[in-house]
Amino acid sequence: MKDAFTRPDAMTTGSAGRTAEWLDHRFFTRAPWVCARELIGCVFEWRGCVGEIVEAEAYAADGDPACHTFSRPSARRFVEQHAPGTSYVYLNYGVHWLFNLLVKGPAGHGFVLFRALEPLAGLETMRSRRRRKNVRELCSGPGRLTQALGINGLDHAKLVLEGPDGGIRRGQETPEVVDCQRIGISKGADLPWRFCKDGAPSLSRPPDRR
DNA sequence: ATGAAGATCCGG
DNA sequence: CGGATCTTCATT
Protein backbone atom coordinates (compact mmCIF):
# COMPACT_ATOMS: atom_id res chain seq x y z
CA MET A 1 0.00 0.00 0.00
CA LYS A 2 1.95 2.98 -1.19
CA ASP A 3 0.94 6.51 -0.57
CA ALA A 4 2.34 10.00 -0.72
CA PHE A 5 4.25 9.61 2.51
CA THR A 6 6.38 6.59 1.74
CA ARG A 7 9.44 6.16 -0.38
CA PRO A 8 9.93 2.69 -1.78
CA ASP A 9 13.43 3.40 -3.01
CA ALA A 10 15.89 2.39 -0.34
CA MET A 11 16.97 -0.65 1.61
CA THR A 12 15.47 -3.95 2.43
CA THR A 13 14.64 -5.18 5.87
CA GLY A 14 15.65 -8.38 7.53
CA SER A 15 12.45 -10.10 6.60
CA ALA A 16 12.73 -12.07 3.38
CA GLY A 17 14.09 -9.26 1.24
CA ARG A 18 10.88 -7.30 1.09
CA THR A 19 11.35 -3.66 0.23
CA ALA A 20 10.85 -1.36 3.19
CA GLU A 21 8.74 1.69 2.52
CA TRP A 22 10.21 4.32 4.78
CA LEU A 23 8.21 7.29 5.89
CA ASP A 24 9.13 10.33 3.89
CA HIS A 25 9.76 13.78 5.34
CA ARG A 26 6.40 14.69 3.80
CA PHE A 27 4.75 12.59 6.47
CA PHE A 28 5.72 15.36 8.87
CA THR A 29 4.08 18.19 6.95
CA ARG A 30 0.82 17.88 8.83
CA ALA A 31 -0.44 18.87 12.25
CA PRO A 32 1.64 17.49 15.15
CA TRP A 33 -1.27 15.57 16.66
CA VAL A 34 -2.05 13.93 13.31
CA CYS A 35 1.56 12.83 12.91
CA ALA A 36 1.79 11.59 16.48
CA ARG A 37 -1.39 9.59 16.21
CA GLU A 38 -0.44 8.03 12.88
CA LEU A 39 2.98 7.05 14.15
CA ILE A 40 1.38 4.61 16.57
CA GLY A 41 1.86 1.17 15.07
CA CYS A 42 4.72 2.28 12.84
CA VAL A 43 8.09 0.57 13.11
CA PHE A 44 11.16 2.55 14.13
CA GLU A 45 14.47 1.08 13.04
CA TRP A 46 17.65 2.54 14.45
CA ARG A 47 21.16 1.17 14.05
CA GLY A 48 20.11 -2.43 14.19
CA CYS A 49 17.51 -2.04 16.90
CA VAL A 50 13.85 -2.14 16.00
CA GLY A 51 10.70 -1.26 17.88
CA GLU A 52 7.05 -0.60 17.20
CA ILE A 53 5.98 2.87 18.25
CA VAL A 54 3.28 2.36 20.87
CA GLU A 55 3.21 5.76 22.57
CA ALA A 56 3.83 9.29 21.33
CA GLU A 57 2.88 12.84 22.25
CA ALA A 58 2.31 15.96 20.18
CA TYR A 59 3.56 19.44 21.05
CA ALA A 60 2.49 22.57 19.23
CA ALA A 61 4.97 25.34 18.51
CA ASP A 62 2.23 27.95 18.88
CA GLY A 63 0.14 28.42 21.99
CA ASP A 64 1.23 25.24 23.76
CA PRO A 65 2.76 26.07 27.15
CA ALA A 66 4.36 22.63 27.41
CA CYS A 67 6.31 23.02 24.18
CA HIS A 68 9.89 24.20 24.37
CA THR A 69 9.08 26.93 21.88
CA PHE A 70 6.84 28.51 24.49
CA SER A 71 9.72 29.65 26.69
CA ARG A 72 12.84 29.00 24.67
CA PRO A 73 13.96 31.28 21.86
CA SER A 74 16.46 28.64 20.78
CA ALA A 75 13.63 26.18 20.20
CA ARG A 76 11.74 28.70 18.10
CA ARG A 77 14.88 29.25 16.07
CA PHE A 78 15.22 25.51 15.64
CA VAL A 79 11.72 25.25 14.20
CA GLU A 80 12.39 28.05 11.77
CA GLN A 81 15.71 26.73 10.59
CA HIS A 82 15.02 23.03 10.11
CA ALA A 83 12.97 20.84 7.83
CA PRO A 84 10.08 18.60 8.85
CA GLY A 85 11.36 15.21 9.94
CA THR A 86 14.46 16.65 11.62
CA SER A 87 15.33 15.20 15.03
CA TYR A 88 15.08 17.37 18.12
CA VAL A 89 17.01 15.64 20.89
CA TYR A 90 17.60 17.22 24.26
CA LEU A 91 18.79 16.34 27.73
CA ASN A 92 16.08 16.31 30.35
CA TYR A 93 16.85 16.80 34.05
CA GLY A 94 20.50 16.58 33.12
CA VAL A 95 20.07 12.83 32.83
CA HIS A 96 17.84 11.54 30.04
CA TRP A 97 17.93 12.16 26.32
CA LEU A 98 14.49 12.66 24.80
CA PHE A 99 13.82 12.13 21.12
CA ASN A 100 11.43 14.22 19.02
CA LEU A 101 10.81 14.77 15.35
CA LEU A 102 10.03 18.20 13.99
CA VAL A 103 6.64 18.65 12.34
CA LYS A 104 5.73 21.52 10.04
CA GLY A 105 2.16 21.55 8.81
CA PRO A 106 -0.02 24.23 7.22
CA ALA A 107 -2.11 24.36 10.41
CA GLY A 108 0.96 24.82 12.59
CA HIS A 109 4.34 23.45 13.52
CA GLY A 110 5.44 21.37 16.47
CA PHE A 111 7.05 18.17 17.65
CA VAL A 112 6.30 14.51 18.18
CA LEU A 113 7.88 13.05 21.30
CA PHE A 114 8.61 9.33 21.13
CA ARG A 115 7.48 7.95 24.46
CA ALA A 116 7.55 4.17 24.16
CA LEU A 117 8.42 1.34 21.79
CA GLU A 118 7.59 -2.33 21.76
CA PRO A 119 10.99 -3.99 21.21
CA LEU A 120 11.09 -6.15 18.08
CA ALA A 121 14.78 -6.73 17.31
CA GLY A 122 18.18 -5.97 18.76
CA LEU A 123 16.95 -6.93 22.20
CA GLU A 124 20.37 -8.02 23.44
CA THR A 125 21.87 -4.66 22.51
CA MET A 126 19.02 -2.92 24.25
CA ARG A 127 19.48 -5.09 27.32
CA SER A 128 23.14 -4.29 27.63
CA ARG A 129 22.63 -0.55 27.14
CA ARG A 130 19.78 -0.48 29.60
CA ARG A 131 21.26 -2.97 32.05
CA ARG A 132 17.88 -4.55 32.34
CA LYS A 133 16.78 -7.93 31.08
CA ASN A 134 13.01 -7.58 31.33
CA VAL A 135 11.61 -6.61 27.92
CA ARG A 136 9.14 -4.25 29.51
CA GLU A 137 11.89 -2.16 31.02
CA LEU A 138 13.76 -1.62 27.76
CA CYS A 139 11.77 1.02 25.85
CA SER A 140 8.78 1.85 28.06
CA GLY A 141 9.51 5.55 28.51
CA PRO A 142 10.98 8.45 26.55
CA GLY A 143 14.30 8.33 28.41
CA ARG A 144 14.46 4.56 28.36
CA LEU A 145 13.97 4.16 24.64
CA THR A 146 16.75 6.59 23.76
CA GLN A 147 19.10 4.74 26.05
CA ALA A 148 18.05 1.40 24.55
CA LEU A 149 18.66 2.65 21.01
CA GLY A 150 21.83 4.57 21.81
CA ILE A 151 20.36 7.96 20.94
CA ASN A 152 22.07 11.01 22.42
CA GLY A 153 22.97 14.63 21.73
CA LEU A 154 24.98 13.66 18.67
CA ASP A 155 21.70 12.74 17.02
CA HIS A 156 20.23 16.18 17.48
CA ALA A 157 19.22 18.22 14.44
CA LYS A 158 19.68 15.37 11.98
CA LEU A 159 17.46 14.25 9.15
CA VAL A 160 17.34 10.82 10.74
CA LEU A 161 14.80 9.49 8.30
CA GLU A 162 17.06 9.95 5.33
CA GLY A 163 20.31 8.90 6.90
CA PRO A 164 21.94 5.47 7.10
CA ASP A 165 21.07 5.06 10.77
CA GLY A 166 17.42 4.28 10.53
CA GLY A 167 13.96 4.94 9.33
CA ILE A 168 10.30 4.53 10.08
CA ARG A 169 7.85 2.38 8.16
CA ARG A 170 4.21 1.60 8.55
CA GLY A 171 3.32 -1.53 10.46
CA GLN A 172 1.33 -4.46 9.15
CA GLU A 173 -1.70 -3.79 11.29
CA THR A 174 -3.36 -0.51 12.12
CA PRO A 175 -3.63 -0.62 15.89
CA GLU A 176 -6.41 0.63 18.10
CA VAL A 177 -5.21 4.03 19.35
CA VAL A 178 -6.24 5.51 22.67
CA ASP A 179 -6.18 9.31 22.94
CA CYS A 180 -5.38 10.65 26.37
CA GLN A 181 -3.89 13.57 28.23
CA ARG A 182 -0.20 14.25 28.11
CA ILE A 183 1.82 13.31 31.16
CA GLY A 184 4.88 14.52 32.99
CA ILE A 185 4.19 18.19 32.35
CA SER A 186 2.90 20.95 34.59
CA LYS A 187 1.35 23.15 31.92
CA GLY A 188 -0.87 22.18 29.02
CA ALA A 189 -1.63 18.80 30.53
CA ASP A 190 -5.27 19.14 29.57
CA LEU A 191 -4.63 18.65 25.86
CA PRO A 192 -5.45 15.11 24.66
CA TRP A 193 -2.25 14.77 22.71
CA ARG A 194 -0.85 11.56 24.11
CA PHE A 195 -1.50 8.58 21.88
CA CYS A 196 -1.16 4.96 22.97
CA LYS A 197 -1.54 1.63 21.29
CA ASP A 198 -4.36 -0.03 23.17
CA GLY A 199 -3.10 -2.80 25.42
CA ALA A 200 0.56 -2.52 24.47
CA PRO A 201 2.79 -4.02 27.20
CA SER A 202 5.55 -1.40 26.95
CA LEU A 203 3.58 1.78 27.54
CA SER A 204 5.29 4.18 29.94
CA ARG A 205 2.03 4.26 31.87
CA PRO A 206 -1.41 2.85 31.19
CA PRO A 207 -3.69 5.34 29.44
CA ASP A 208 -6.12 7.30 31.56
CA ARG A 209 -9.54 6.61 30.14
CA ARG A 210 -11.96 9.35 30.82
C1' DA B 1 27.17 35.30 38.57
C1' DT B 2 23.36 32.97 40.29
C1' DG B 3 19.00 30.55 40.50
C1' DA B 4 15.03 28.04 38.90
C1' DA B 5 12.64 24.78 36.20
C1' DG B 6 12.49 20.92 33.54
C1' DA B 7 8.39 16.35 28.04
C1' DT B 8 12.52 11.31 33.67
C1' DC B 9 14.23 7.36 35.95
C1' DC B 10 15.88 4.65 39.71
C1' DG B 11 16.56 3.04 44.22
C1' DG B 12 15.44 3.10 49.18
C1' DC C 1 9.60 9.98 47.71
C1' DG C 2 14.17 12.36 46.85
C1' DG C 3 18.39 12.79 44.25
C1' DA C 4 20.92 12.91 40.06
C1' DT C 5 23.06 16.33 36.89
C1' DC C 6 22.95 19.53 32.79
C1' DT C 7 21.00 23.11 29.70
C1' DT C 8 18.43 27.24 28.78
C1' DC C 9 16.73 31.36 30.13
C1' DA C 10 15.69 35.33 33.26
C1' DT C 11 17.27 38.12 36.81
C1' DT C 12 20.92 40.48 39.46
Side-chain angles (χ1 to χ4, degrees):
Chain A
M1 248 327 133
K2 300 179 171 144
D3 65 42
F5 302 124
T6 58
R7 57 183 167 97
D9 47 286
M11 288 193 251
T12 59
T13 63
S15 59
R18 269 206 327 277
T19 299
E21 299 187 0
W22 300 109
L23 293 189
D24 199 273
H25 72 280
R26 283 168 295 173
F27 181 93
F28 298 93
T29 59
R30 297 171 295 162
W33 51 91
V34 174
C35 295
R37 197 171 203 282
E38 278 197 33
L39 279 172
I40 305 303
C42 290
V43 176
F44 183 28
E45 203 167 320
W46 187 256
R47 296 182 192 144
C49 291
V50 184
E52 179 188 4
I53 301 168
V54 295
E55 181 181 340
E57 280 179 354
Y59 290 83
D62 286 301
D64 178 2
C67 189
H68 278 187
T69 53
F70 192 78
S71 52
R72 291 160 85 142
S74 61
R76 292 193 284 272
R77 229 173 296 131
F78 181 92
V79 172
E80 281 183 24
Q81 296 175 350
H82 293 86
T86 304
S87 63
Y88 179 83
V89 180
Y90 76 99
L91 189 61
N92 189 46
Y93 290 97
V95 180
H96 307 284
W97 295 103
L98 270 59
F99 179 81
N100 299 256
L101 291 177
L102 176 61
V103 169
K104 302 180 93 166
H109 302 165
F111 298 94
V112 176
L113 169 70
F114 284 42
R115 287 197 55 94
L117 307 175
E118 206 57 56
L120 297 177
L123 289 249
E124 289 316 306
T125 306
M126 295 182 187
R127 284 191 173 100
S128 71
R129 289 191 180 125
R130 289 274 305 132
R131 305 185 186 190
R132 291 287 182 288
K133 73 176 182 185
N134 193 317
V135 181
R136 302 177 54 153
E137 297 181 84
L138 297 181
C139 298
S140 52
R144 292 171 175 176
L145 73 90
T146 55
Q147 188 180 26
L149 300 194
I151 291 172
N152 59 44
L154 298 173
D155 302 309
H156 178 62
K158 299 264 207 31
L159 279 168
V160 298
L161 303 177
E162 297 173 8
D165 288 326
I168 300 173
R169 59 185 146 81
R170 295 186 186 279
Q172 297 295 109
E173 312 282 327
T174 303
E176 192 79 3
V177 177
V178 183
D179 304 22
C180 45
Q181 295 184 153
R182 297 182 295 184
I183 56 180
I185 53 181
S186 57
K187 297 168 294 186
D190 49 313
L191 295 168
W193 286 352
R194 175 182 177 228
F195 304 99
C196 297
K197 175 173 174 175
D198 194 22
S202 288
L203 296 177
S204 68
R205 286 180 41 187
D208 283 339
R209 324 230 170 192
R210 288 265 134 163

